[in-house]
Amino acid sequence: DAKTTQPNSMESNEEEPVHLPCNHSTISGTDYIHWYRQLPSQGPEYVIHGLTSNVNNRMASLAIAEDRKSSTLILHRATLRDAAVYYCILLTTSGTYKYIFGTGTRLKVLA
Amino acid sequence: ETGVTQSPTHLIKTRGQQVTLRCSSQSGHNTVSWYQQALGQGPQFIFQYYREEENGRGNFPPRFSGLQFPNYSSELNVNALELDDSALYLCASSPSFRGLVNEQFFGPGTRLTVL
């Protein structure tokens, strides 16, 4: 199975941009990259996803490397409510579907 | 619009027993996925159902089985419970085309404790 690797934790100051990296060097051509975040005592919440091109939505941006072996989730202005565990996930679609979660990055936002 | 709901909230079982967990999908969602999340770990994908058929499975043994009903609600069954099955079980539903999912909506989970 393909695998994702993320830093265990990161810190950011409030209202500053945050770049959360993810390595997925064994990704295959049909694997999608998804990001979810999880607040304490809650189920994960969708953030963004992409395949090859960079993606933007109201929550964040996803920058995907040209070789697709890594990606970066960008929060443009971190707020205290963005403090959560962020998961980088590969969705494999060749054959049957399978979601492969990384270990997650705990983001701490400092006021 | 009602979100994804799961029942029960908490459950205590003993080793060797069987358990059934239930999930009601968000209205209009035809795909449901189940995850196991051990304490301090990320979710692990168990399986996904699309229109009542399993179309994806993670690395879980056959004693983990599931069903999706015509109204797209779902059950997760675990037989011969082991201590390591103690975890938070999360259900997620999504509106998808041919099983390809964009955004999943997660329920609050069922906390299973196996003694």
Side-chain angles (χ1 to χ4, degrees), chain A residues 34 36 38 44 97-99, chain B residues 37 48 55-57 101 104:
Chain A
H34 285 235
Y36 280 74
Q38 189 173 25
Y97 293 98
K98 189 182 287 190
Y99 292 84
Chain B
Q37 187 171 26
Q48 177 174 293
N55 75 338
R57 190 177 183 94
V101 170
Q104 295 185 85

Side-chain angles (χ1 to χ4, degrees), chain A residues 23-85:
Chain A
N23 182 285
H24 30 77
S25 57
T26 56
I27 193 170
S28 72
T30 56
D31 291 351
Y32 285 78
I33 302 159
H34 285 235
W35 284 81
Y36 280 74
R37 69 182 185 183
Q38 189 173 25
L39 278 65
S41 302
Q42 293 187 24
E45 174 190 32
Y46 171 82
V47 178
I48 200 166
H49 80 281
L51 182 61
T52 57
S53 305
N54 295 343
V55 184
N56 299 295
N57 66 19
R58 62 175 180 80
M59 285 184 72
S61 295
L62 176 60
I64 302 172
E66 197 167 332
D67 64 5
R68 299 209 328 126
K69 293 186 176 182
S70 65
S71 61
T72 302
L73 177 69
I74 303 164
L75 306 179
H76 297 288
R77 289 180 67 223
T79 70
L80 296 177
R81 288 175 295 179
D82 292 324
V85 178

